Amino acid sequence: MRSLAANGMDVASLLAPAESTDDDHWAPVDLEAVLSGIDTSPDPAFLRRNDGAALLYPGLIHMFYGESESGKSWVALHAVASVLVDGGSAVYVDLESDASTVVGRLFALNVPADALRARFTYVRPDTSPDRSPAFQRLLSTSYDLAVIDGSSDAYALFGLNQNDAVDVSLFMRRLPRPLAERCGAAVVLIDHVPKTTAGSRFAQGSQNKLSAVTGAAYLVEPLDALGAGKRGVLAVRVTKDRPGKVRAVSGLYRKSDRTQVAASIVIDSSGDGTVFDVLAPKESEEVSRSDEFENLQNAIIRYLDVYPGASTTAIRDNVRGSAAKVGSALTALAEVGRVRVEAKKGKGGGFRHFVADPGDPALSDGPGIFADE
């Protein structure tokens, strides 16, 4: 899809506010508070860990992204549930699921029906909100939290291309920013990572998506698989934190993708109901995970030395470890240039992987690397 700007459409009209106001945003900003050294940035207030620290800033834009079925929507719904149980309000713009699934999960998270009736707004749009009276009413309502589930489809509602930097800016001005600035909500965009092995530190589409985040962006990685009747574990890793208050209370820095664990989340549905725990990262656990991740990367390097040109599927099937962890380690290697990725030619597509440096230190003797060893 070509961008609207490229098609000669009136970009200026799209940038106009969804509803006129008396405020003149071109008036000089009063800088006295900043000049006086006062911290004017908000403190995180929602999605609290067991130690009291929170991950979402009121009035700012956030992003949760990861692979399919990584638990992104569960994390967002837990944030919604916590807000509603505490007496706050939330709006859920759903382009991925349906009302029955969303409400069913909120019930599983112990949200009372009365709270949903009184303080939860659910919308499932299939057309652009421009000139929609219902959309204008939504923007005139105060919310503590706003979730946009299905970022790619949300762009399509406006006829915008998520791969185009200008269109990303237009989209942010049409939906997330009004929800943050006019409704006062902590806005959460739920997005996917690319299906290629390179670049999963960023959400699918233009990397300008990350630039448009005014709060924090989080990569959601499954450590133990989620599922009905199972106990799953997620790592929520902060990839961007503009105010800087989440990184200050996050775990150790992972050099391979420049992220920190902001929380470990346990979703346990092995008993009655669903138990959801948001845990603060512990240094000892983070060191262990960092070592495990480095060992997995080294194993991939040694495998590719034996099988140059291996596909993503072959690497995941033959390097010891869960498919999700092997995939994350492979992505990190591609990002830092230790693995060279080439697109396959011909039908079927896909990618081939090679060790970028024959002198990579991982090629020294190490533990067994293949799944059947």
PDB file of all heavy atoms in Angstrom, residues 317-355:
ATOM      1  N   ASP A 317      14.645 -26.295  15.136  1.00  0.00           N
ATOM      2  CA  ASP A 317      14.431 -27.727  15.357  1.00  0.00           C
ATOM      3  C   ASP A 317      15.664 -28.437  15.895  1.00  0.00           C
ATOM      4  O   ASP A 317      15.549 -29.469  16.567  1.00  0.00           O
ATOM      5  CB  ASP A 317      13.996 -28.402  14.040  1.00  0.00           C
ATOM      6  CG  ASP A 317      12.575 -28.048  13.642  1.00  0.00           C
ATOM      7  OD1 ASP A 317      11.856 -27.492  14.499  1.00  0.00           O
ATOM      8  OD2 ASP A 317      12.207 -28.304  12.482  1.00  0.00           O
ATOM      9  N   ASN A 318      16.854 -27.912  15.609  1.00  0.00           N
ATOM     10  CA  ASN A 318      18.076 -28.666  15.894  1.00  0.00           C
ATOM     11  C   ASN A 318      18.974 -28.080  16.966  1.00  0.00           C
ATOM     12  O   ASN A 318      19.905 -28.746  17.414  1.00  0.00           O
ATOM     13  CB  ASN A 318      18.878 -28.832  14.592  1.00  0.00           C
ATOM     14  CG  ASN A 318      18.185 -29.752  13.611  1.00  0.00           C
ATOM     15  OD1 ASN A 318      18.151 -30.970  13.805  1.00  0.00           O
ATOM     16  ND2 ASN A 318      17.600 -29.175  12.569  1.00  0.00           N
ATOM     17  N   VAL A 319      18.730 -26.844  17.366  1.00  0.00           N
ATOM     18  CA  VAL A 319      19.485 -26.273  18.476  1.00  0.00           C
ATOM     19  C   VAL A 319      18.678 -26.476  19.753  1.00  0.00           C
ATOM     20  O   VAL A 319      17.489 -26.166  19.802  1.00  0.00           O
ATOM     21  CB  VAL A 319      19.780 -24.777  18.233  1.00  0.00           C
ATOM     22  CG1 VAL A 319      20.424 -24.155  19.465  1.00  0.00           C
ATOM     23  CG2 VAL A 319      20.684 -24.620  17.027  1.00  0.00           C
ATOM     24  N   ARG A 320      19.322 -27.014  20.760  1.00  0.00           N
ATOM     25  CA  ARG A 320      18.632 -27.371  21.996  1.00  0.00           C
ATOM     26  C   ARG A 320      18.062 -26.130  22.680  1.00  0.00           C
ATOM     27  O   ARG A 320      18.767 -25.165  22.933  1.00  0.00           O
ATOM     28  CB  ARG A 320      19.600 -28.090  22.934  1.00  0.00           C
ATOM     29  CG  ARG A 320      18.948 -28.605  24.210  1.00  0.00           C
ATOM     30  CD  ARG A 320      19.996 -29.234  25.104  1.00  0.00           C
ATOM     31  NE  ARG A 320      20.643 -30.360  24.464  1.00  0.00           N
ATOM     32  CZ  ARG A 320      21.900 -30.711  24.685  1.00  0.00           C
ATOM     33  NH1 ARG A 320      22.655 -29.985  25.479  1.00  0.00           N
ATOM     34  NH2 ARG A 320      22.412 -31.772  24.075  1.00  0.00           N
ATOM     35  N   GLY A 321      16.759 -26.151  22.982  1.00  0.00           N
ATOM     36  CA  GLY A 321      16.079 -25.034  23.632  1.00  0.00           C
ATOM     37  C   GLY A 321      14.691 -24.868  23.044  1.00  0.00           C
ATOM     38  O   GLY A 321      14.377 -25.409  21.975  1.00  0.00           O
ATOM     39  N   SER A 322      13.842 -24.097  23.732  1.00  0.00           N
ATOM     40  CA  SER A 322      12.493 -23.874  23.213  1.00  0.00           C
ATOM     41  C   SER A 322      12.574 -23.082  21.914  1.00  0.00           C
ATOM     42  O   SER A 322      13.498 -22.285  21.703  1.00  0.00           O
ATOM     43  CB  SER A 322      11.636 -23.113  24.226  1.00  0.00           C
ATOM     44  OG  SER A 322      12.056 -21.769  24.330  1.00  0.00           O
ATOM     45  N   ALA A 323      11.595 -23.286  21.035  1.00  0.00           N
ATOM     46  CA  ALA A 323      11.594 -22.594  19.745  1.00  0.00           C
ATOM     47  C   ALA A 323      11.588 -21.088  19.932  1.00  0.00           C
ATOM     48  O   ALA A 323      12.262 -20.350  19.195  1.00  0.00           O
ATOM     49  CB  ALA A 323      10.387 -23.029  18.917  1.00  0.00           C
ATOM     50  N   ALA A 324      10.832 -20.592  20.930  1.00  0.00           N
ATOM     51  CA  ALA A 324      10.751 -19.147  21.163  1.00  0.00           C
ATOM     52  C   ALA A 324      12.101 -18.583  21.586  1.00  0.00           C
ATOM     53  O   ALA A 324      12.539 -17.537  21.103  1.00  0.00           O
ATOM     54  CB  ALA A 324       9.690 -18.848  22.218  1.00  0.00           C
ATOM     55  N   LYS A 325      12.795 -19.294  22.496  1.00  0.00           N
ATOM     56  CA  LYS A 325      14.090 -18.804  22.974  1.00  0.00           C
ATOM     57  C   LYS A 325      15.141 -18.869  21.874  1.00  0.00           C
ATOM     58  O   LYS A 325      15.957 -17.951  21.717  1.00  0.00           O
ATOM     59  CB  LYS A 325      14.536 -19.618  24.185  1.00  0.00           C
ATOM     60  CG  LYS A 325      13.694 -19.393  25.437  1.00  0.00           C
ATOM     61  CD  LYS A 325      14.207 -20.236  26.587  1.00  0.00           C
ATOM     62  CE  LYS A 325      13.341 -20.045  27.827  1.00  0.00           C
ATOM     63  NZ  LYS A 325      13.817 -20.892  28.953  1.00  0.00           N
ATOM     64  N   VAL A 326      15.127 -19.950  21.091  1.00  0.00           N
ATOM     65  CA  VAL A 326      16.079 -20.066  19.983  1.00  0.00           C
ATOM     66  C   VAL A 326      15.826 -18.957  18.961  1.00  0.00           C
ATOM     67  O   VAL A 326      16.757 -18.323  18.455  1.00  0.00           O
ATOM     68  CB  VAL A 326      15.987 -21.454  19.324  1.00  0.00           C
ATOM     69  CG1 VAL A 326      16.843 -21.507  18.056  1.00  0.00           C
ATOM     70  CG2 VAL A 326      16.438 -22.544  20.292  1.00  0.00           C
ATOM     71  N   GLY A 327      14.537 -18.691  18.678  1.00  0.00           N
ATOM     72  CA  GLY A 327      14.203 -17.625  17.739  1.00  0.00           C
ATOM     73  C   GLY A 327      14.671 -16.262  18.224  1.00  0.00           C
ATOM     74  O   GLY A 327      15.209 -15.463  17.443  1.00  0.00           O
ATOM     75  N   SER A 328      14.483 -15.979  19.519  1.00  0.00           N
ATOM     76  CA  SER A 328      14.931 -14.695  20.070  1.00  0.00           C
ATOM     77  C   SER A 328      16.441 -14.563  20.008  1.00  0.00           C
ATOM     78  O   SER A 328      16.981 -13.496  19.675  1.00  0.00           O
ATOM     79  CB  SER A 328      14.453 -14.559  21.523  1.00  0.00           C
ATOM     80  OG  SER A 328      13.053 -14.518  21.595  1.00  0.00           O
ATOM     81  N   ALA A 329      17.144 -15.660  20.324  1.00  0.00           N
ATOM     82  CA  ALA A 329      18.610 -15.626  20.277  1.00  0.00           C
ATOM     83  C   ALA A 329      19.107 -15.422  18.842  1.00  0.00           C
ATOM     84  O   ALA A 329      20.071 -14.681  18.602  1.00  0.00           O
ATOM     85  CB  ALA A 329      19.178 -16.916  20.858  1.00  0.00           C
ATOM     86  N   LEU A 330      18.456 -16.077  17.876  1.00  0.00           N
ATOM     87  CA  LEU A 330      18.840 -15.925  16.470  1.00  0.00           C
ATOM     88  C   LEU A 330      18.618 -14.489  16.007  1.00  0.00           C
ATOM     89  O   LEU A 330      19.458 -13.896  15.315  1.00  0.00           O
ATOM     90  CB  LEU A 330      18.030 -16.899  15.613  1.00  0.00           C
ATOM     91  CG  LEU A 330      18.291 -16.858  14.109  1.00  0.00           C
ATOM     92  CD1 LEU A 330      19.742 -17.183  13.791  1.00  0.00           C
ATOM     93  CD2 LEU A 330      17.351 -17.830  13.387  1.00  0.00           C
ATOM     94  N   THR A 331      17.493 -13.899  16.398  1.00  0.00           N
ATOM     95  CA  THR A 331      17.207 -12.510  16.034  1.00  0.00           C
ATOM     96  C   THR A 331      18.268 -11.567  16.580  1.00  0.00           C
ATOM     97  O   THR A 331      18.765 -10.673  15.883  1.00  0.00           O
ATOM     98  CB  THR A 331      15.827 -12.101  16.580  1.00  0.00           C
ATOM     99  OG1 THR A 331      14.831 -12.868  15.921  1.00  0.00           O
ATOM    100  CG2 THR A 331      15.555 -10.634  16.346  1.00  0.00           C
ATOM    101  N   ALA A 332      18.641 -11.776  17.849  1.00  0.00           N
ATOM    102  CA  ALA A 332      19.649 -10.916  18.470  1.00  0.00           C
ATOM    103  C   ALA A 332      20.992 -11.044  17.754  1.00  0.00           C
ATOM    104  O   ALA A 332      21.703 -10.042  17.555  1.00  0.00           O
ATOM    105  CB  ALA A 332      19.794 -11.269  19.948  1.00  0.00           C
ATOM    106  N   LEU A 333      21.354 -12.251  17.345  1.00  0.00           N
ATOM    107  CA  LEU A 333      22.611 -12.456  16.615  1.00  0.00           C
ATOM    108  C   LEU A 333      22.604 -11.710  15.278  1.00  0.00           C
ATOM    109  O   LEU A 333      23.623 -11.137  14.867  1.00  0.00           O
ATOM    110  CB  LEU A 333      22.838 -13.956  16.371  1.00  0.00           C
ATOM    111  CG  LEU A 333      23.244 -14.788  17.590  1.00  0.00           C
ATOM    112  CD1 LEU A 333      23.152 -16.280  17.259  1.00  0.00           C
ATOM    113  CD2 LEU A 333      24.648 -14.430  18.051  1.00  0.00           C
ATOM    114  N   ALA A 334      21.445 -11.727  14.606  1.00  0.00           N
ATOM    115  CA  ALA A 334      21.345 -11.007  13.329  1.00  0.00           C
ATOM    116  C   ALA A 334      21.439  -9.503  13.554  1.00  0.00           C
ATOM    117  O   ALA A 334      22.066  -8.786  12.763  1.00  0.00           O
ATOM    118  CB  ALA A 334      20.034 -11.364  12.631  1.00  0.00           C
ATOM    119  N   GLU A 335      20.841  -9.016  14.634  1.00  0.00           N
ATOM    120  CA  GLU A 335      20.844  -7.575  14.899  1.00  0.00           C
ATOM    121  C   GLU A 335      22.247  -7.043  15.167  1.00  0.00           C
ATOM    122  O   GLU A 335      22.585  -5.923  14.765  1.00  0.00           O
ATOM    123  CB  GLU A 335      19.930  -7.262  16.086  1.00  0.00           C
ATOM    124  CG  GLU A 335      18.449  -7.370  15.766  1.00  0.00           C
ATOM    125  CD  GLU A 335      17.584  -7.079  16.969  1.00  0.00           C
ATOM    126  OE1 GLU A 335      18.119  -7.073  18.095  1.00  0.00           O
ATOM    127  OE2 GLU A 335      16.384  -6.853  16.778  1.00  0.00           O
ATOM    128  N   VAL A 336      23.067  -7.819  15.860  1.00  0.00           N
ATOM    129  CA  VAL A 336      24.417  -7.341  16.196  1.00  0.00           C
ATOM    130  C   VAL A 336      25.446  -7.749  15.147  1.00  0.00           C
ATOM    131  O   VAL A 336      26.629  -7.449  15.288  1.00  0.00           O
ATOM    132  CB  VAL A 336      24.852  -7.842  17.590  1.00  0.00           C
ATOM    133  CG1 VAL A 336      23.909  -7.328  18.661  1.00  0.00           C
ATOM    134  CG2 VAL A 336      24.941  -9.368  17.640  1.00  0.00           C
ATOM    135  N   GLY A 337      25.011  -8.450  14.090  1.00  0.00           N
ATOM    136  CA  GLY A 337      25.897  -8.749  12.979  1.00  0.00           C
ATOM    137  C   GLY A 337      26.728 -10.009  13.115  1.00  0.00           C
ATOM    138  O   GLY A 337      27.624 -10.247  12.290  1.00  0.00           O
ATOM    139  N   ARG A 338      26.441 -10.846  14.114  1.00  0.00           N
ATOM    140  CA  ARG A 338      27.199 -12.094  14.239  1.00  0.00           C
ATOM    141  C   ARG A 338      26.673 -13.157  13.275  1.00  0.00           C
ATOM    142  O   ARG A 338      27.391 -14.101  12.932  1.00  0.00           O
ATOM    143  CB  ARG A 338      27.156 -12.618  15.678  1.00  0.00           C
ATOM    144  CG  ARG A 338      27.934 -11.758  16.668  1.00  0.00           C
ATOM    145  CD  ARG A 338      27.790 -12.283  18.079  1.00  0.00           C
ATOM    146  NE  ARG A 338      28.424 -13.588  18.259  1.00  0.00           N
ATOM    147  CZ  ARG A 338      28.252 -14.342  19.349  1.00  0.00           C
ATOM    148  NH1 ARG A 338      27.459 -13.930  20.329  1.00  0.00           N
ATOM    149  NH2 ARG A 338      28.870 -15.510  19.440  1.00  0.00           N
ATOM    150  N   VAL A 339      25.432 -13.031  12.867  1.00  0.00           N
ATOM    151  CA  VAL A 339      24.837 -13.931  11.880  1.00  0.00           C
ATOM    152  C   VAL A 339      24.415 -13.106  10.671  1.00  0.00           C
ATOM    153  O   VAL A 339      23.786 -12.050  10.812  1.00  0.00           O
ATOM    154  CB  VAL A 339      23.634 -14.688  12.471  1.00  0.00           C
ATOM    155  CG1 VAL A 339      22.819 -15.345  11.370  1.00  0.00           C
ATOM    156  CG2 VAL A 339      24.103 -15.729  13.473  1.00  0.00           C
ATOM    157  N   ARG A 340      24.782 -13.585   9.493  1.00  0.00           N
ATOM    158  CA  ARG A 340      24.391 -12.936   8.246  1.00  0.00           C
ATOM    159  C   ARG A 340      23.153 -13.635   7.699  1.00  0.00           C
ATOM    160  O   ARG A 340      23.108 -14.875   7.627  1.00  0.00           O
ATOM    161  CB  ARG A 340      25.551 -13.011   7.244  1.00  0.00           C
ATOM    162  CG  ARG A 340      25.248 -12.422   5.869  1.00  0.00           C
ATOM    163  CD  ARG A 340      26.538 -12.255   5.072  1.00  0.00           C
ATOM    164  NE  ARG A 340      27.331 -13.474   5.049  1.00  0.00           N
ATOM    165  CZ  ARG A 340      27.182 -14.456   4.177  1.00  0.00           C
ATOM    166  NH1 ARG A 340      26.237 -14.382   3.259  1.00  0.00           N
ATOM    167  NH2 ARG A 340      27.974 -15.518   4.223  1.00  0.00           N
ATOM    168  N   VAL A 341      22.140 -12.848   7.324  1.00  0.00           N
ATOM    169  CA  VAL A 341      20.866 -13.392   6.863  1.00  0.00           C
ATOM    170  C   VAL A 341      20.682 -13.065   5.386  1.00  0.00           C
ATOM    171  O   VAL A 341      20.849 -11.912   4.975  1.00  0.00           O
ATOM    172  CB  VAL A 341      19.695 -12.809   7.675  1.00  0.00           C
ATOM    173  CG1 VAL A 341      18.378 -13.451   7.245  1.00  0.00           C
ATOM    174  CG2 VAL A 341      19.919 -13.008   9.174  1.00  0.00           C
ATOM    175  N   GLU A 342      20.351 -14.091   4.592  1.00  0.00           N
ATOM    176  CA  GLU A 342      20.100 -13.899   3.175  1.00  0.00           C
ATOM    177  C   GLU A 342      18.726 -14.453   2.822  1.00  0.00           C
ATOM    178  O   GLU A 342      18.346 -15.527   3.303  1.00  0.00           O
ATOM    179  CB  GLU A 342      21.152 -14.618   2.323  1.00  0.00           C
ATOM    180  CG  GLU A 342      22.559 -14.074   2.461  1.00  0.00           C
ATOM    181  CD  GLU A 342      23.541 -14.811   1.556  1.00  0.00           C
ATOM    182  OE1 GLU A 342      23.081 -15.743   0.838  1.00  0.00           O
ATOM    183  OE2 GLU A 342      24.737 -14.478   1.573  1.00  0.00           O
ATOM    184  N   ALA A 343      17.987 -13.719   2.007  1.00  0.00           N
ATOM    185  CA  ALA A 343      16.687 -14.203   1.549  1.00  0.00           C
ATOM    186  C   ALA A 343      16.888 -15.328   0.525  1.00  0.00           C
ATOM    187  O   ALA A 343      17.755 -15.236  -0.342  1.00  0.00           O
ATOM    188  CB  ALA A 343      15.886 -13.066   0.927  1.00  0.00           C
ATOM    189  N   LYS A 344      16.087 -16.383   0.655  1.00  0.00           N
ATOM    190  CA  LYS A 344      16.153 -17.474  -0.307  1.00  0.00           C
ATOM    191  C   LYS A 344      15.563 -17.039  -1.642  1.00  0.00           C
ATOM    192  O   LYS A 344      14.612 -16.255  -1.693  1.00  0.00           O
ATOM    193  CB  LYS A 344      15.371 -18.686   0.209  1.00  0.00           C
ATOM    194  CG  LYS A 344      16.002 -19.378   1.397  1.00  0.00           C
ATOM    195  CD  LYS A 344      15.168 -20.592   1.795  1.00  0.00           C
ATOM    196  CE  LYS A 344      15.787 -21.341   2.964  1.00  0.00           C
ATOM    197  NZ  LYS A 344      14.954 -22.494   3.370  1.00  0.00           N
ATOM    198  N   LYS A 345      16.108 -17.546  -2.712  1.00  0.00           N
ATOM    199  CA  LYS A 345      15.584 -17.260  -4.030  1.00  0.00           C
ATOM    200  C   LYS A 345      14.602 -18.345  -4.448  1.00  0.00           C
ATOM    201  O   LYS A 345      14.680 -19.481  -4.008  1.00  0.00           O
ATOM    202  CB  LYS A 345      16.723 -17.158  -5.042  1.00  0.00           C
ATOM    203  CG  LYS A 345      17.700 -16.013  -4.752  1.00  0.00           C
ATOM    204  CD  LYS A 345      18.816 -15.974  -5.776  1.00  0.00           C
ATOM    205  CE  LYS A 345      19.787 -14.837  -5.486  1.00  0.00           C
ATOM    206  NZ  LYS A 345      20.894 -14.793  -6.475  1.00  0.00           N
ATOM    207  N   GLY A 346      13.687 -17.968  -5.321  1.00  0.00           N
ATOM    208  CA  GLY A 346      12.743 -18.951  -5.829  1.00  0.00           C
ATOM    209  C   GLY A 346      11.481 -19.024  -4.992  1.00  0.00           C
ATOM    210  O   GLY A 346      11.209 -18.191  -4.124  1.00  0.00           O
ATOM    211  N   LYS A 347      10.709 -20.077  -5.233  1.00  0.00           N
ATOM    212  CA  LYS A 347       9.429 -20.245  -4.564  1.00  0.00           C
ATOM    213  C   LYS A 347       9.619 -20.564  -3.082  1.00  0.00           C
ATOM    214  O   LYS A 347      10.589 -21.176  -2.682  1.00  0.00           O
ATOM    215  CB  LYS A 347       8.620 -21.362  -5.227  1.00  0.00           C
ATOM    216  CG  LYS A 347       8.237 -21.063  -6.674  1.00  0.00           C
ATOM    217  CD  LYS A 347       7.416 -22.208  -7.255  1.00  0.00           C
ATOM    218  CE  LYS A 347       7.004 -21.897  -8.692  1.00  0.00           C
ATOM    219  NZ  LYS A 347       6.203 -23.007  -9.275  1.00  0.00           N
ATOM    220  N   GLY A 348       8.639 -20.168  -2.314  1.00  0.00           N
ATOM    221  CA  GLY A 348       8.641 -20.506  -0.898  1.00  0.00           C
ATOM    222  C   GLY A 348       9.242 -19.451  -0.003  1.00  0.00           C
ATOM    223  O   GLY A 348       8.861 -19.301   1.147  1.00  0.00           O
ATOM    224  N   GLY A 349      10.204 -18.689  -0.527  1.00  0.00           N
ATOM    225  CA  GLY A 349      10.812 -17.633   0.269  1.00  0.00           C
ATOM    226  C   GLY A 349      11.575 -18.189   1.459  1.00  0.00           C
ATOM    227  O   GLY A 349      12.097 -19.301   1.445  1.00  0.00           O
ATOM    228  N   GLY A 350      11.650 -17.411   2.508  1.00  0.00           N
ATOM    229  CA  GLY A 350      12.386 -17.807   3.698  1.00  0.00           C
ATOM    230  C   GLY A 350      13.781 -17.200   3.721  1.00  0.00           C
ATOM    231  O   GLY A 350      14.131 -16.365   2.874  1.00  0.00           O
ATOM    232  N   PHE A 351      14.590 -17.631   4.689  1.00  0.00           N
ATOM    233  CA  PHE A 351      15.905 -17.033   4.887  1.00  0.00           C
ATOM    234  C   PHE A 351      16.958 -18.100   5.160  1.00  0.00           C
ATOM    235  O   PHE A 351      16.668 -19.147   5.740  1.00  0.00           O
ATOM    236  CB  PHE A 351      15.866 -16.038   6.053  1.00  0.00           C
ATOM    237  CG  PHE A 351      14.958 -14.868   5.806  1.00  0.00           C
ATOM    238  CD1 PHE A 351      13.605 -14.944   6.113  1.00  0.00           C
ATOM    239  CD2 PHE A 351      15.443 -13.703   5.231  1.00  0.00           C
ATOM    240  CE1 PHE A 351      12.752 -13.880   5.868  1.00  0.00           C
ATOM    241  CE2 PHE A 351      14.614 -12.635   4.985  1.00  0.00           C
ATOM    242  CZ  PHE A 351      13.257 -12.719   5.299  1.00  0.00           C
ATOM    243  N   ARG A 352      18.185 -17.796   4.730  1.00  0.00           N
ATOM    244  CA  ARG A 352      19.345 -18.639   5.013  1.00  0.00           C
ATOM    245  C   ARG A 352      20.248 -17.875   5.967  1.00  0.00           C
ATOM    246  O   ARG A 352      20.314 -16.646   5.928  1.00  0.00           O
ATOM    247  CB  ARG A 352      20.086 -18.975   3.720  1.00  0.00           C
ATOM    248  CG  ARG A 352      19.209 -19.637   2.658  1.00  0.00           C
ATOM    249  CD  ARG A 352      19.949 -19.765   1.345  1.00  0.00           C
ATOM    250  NE  ARG A 352      21.022 -20.751   1.439  1.00  0.00           N
ATOM    251  CZ  ARG A 352      22.124 -20.726   0.690  1.00  0.00           C
ATOM    252  NH1 ARG A 352      22.320 -19.742  -0.176  1.00  0.00           N
ATOM    253  NH2 ARG A 352      23.045 -21.665   0.824  1.00  0.00           N
ATOM    254  N   HIS A 353      20.950 -18.615   6.834  1.00  0.00           N
ATOM    255  CA  HIS A 353      21.755 -17.990   7.874  1.00  0.00           C
ATOM    256  C   HIS A 353      23.198 -18.495   7.814  1.00  0.00           C
ATOM    257  O   HIS A 353      23.421 -19.695   7.610  1.00  0.00           O
ATOM    258  CB  HIS A 353      21.147 -18.284   9.254  1.00  0.00           C
ATOM    259  CG  HIS A 353      19.728 -17.843   9.381  1.00  0.00           C
ATOM    260  ND1 HIS A 353      18.678 -18.605   8.903  1.00  0.00           N
ATOM    261  CD2 HIS A 353      19.181 -16.733   9.933  1.00  0.00           C
ATOM    262  CE1 HIS A 353      17.544 -17.959   9.143  1.00  0.00           C
ATOM    263  NE2 HIS A 353      17.819 -16.832   9.766  1.00  0.00           N
ATOM    264  N   PHE A 354      24.134 -17.568   8.020  1.00  0.00           N
ATOM    265  CA  PHE A 354      25.556 -17.892   7.961  1.00  0.00           C
ATOM    266  C   PHE A 354      26.281 -17.204   9.111  1.00  0.00           C
ATOM    267  O   PHE A 354      25.885 -16.115   9.556  1.00  0.00           O
ATOM    268  CB  PHE A 354      26.163 -17.424   6.642  1.00  0.00           C
ATOM    269  CG  PHE A 354      25.508 -17.983   5.417  1.00  0.00           C
ATOM    270  CD1 PHE A 354      24.388 -17.371   4.871  1.00  0.00           C
ATOM    271  CD2 PHE A 354      26.006 -19.131   4.808  1.00  0.00           C
ATOM    272  CE1 PHE A 354      23.773 -17.878   3.743  1.00  0.00           C
ATOM    273  CE2 PHE A 354      25.395 -19.658   3.678  1.00  0.00           C
ATOM    274  CZ  PHE A 354      24.282 -19.036   3.141  1.00  0.00           C
ATOM    275  N   VAL A 355      27.357 -17.822   9.588  1.00  0.00           N
ATOM    276  CA  VAL A 355      28.217 -17.166  10.567  1.00  0.00           C
ATOM    277  C   VAL A 355      28.925 -16.015   9.872  1.00  0.00           C
ATOM    278  O   VAL A 355      29.562 -16.204   8.828  1.00  0.00           O
ATOM    279  CB  VAL A 355      29.247 -18.158  11.154  1.00  0.00           C
ATOM    280  CG1 VAL A 355      30.181 -17.429  12.112  1.00  0.00           C
ATOM    281  CG2 VAL A 355      28.534 -19.310  11.856  1.00  0.00           C
TER     282      VAL A 355
END
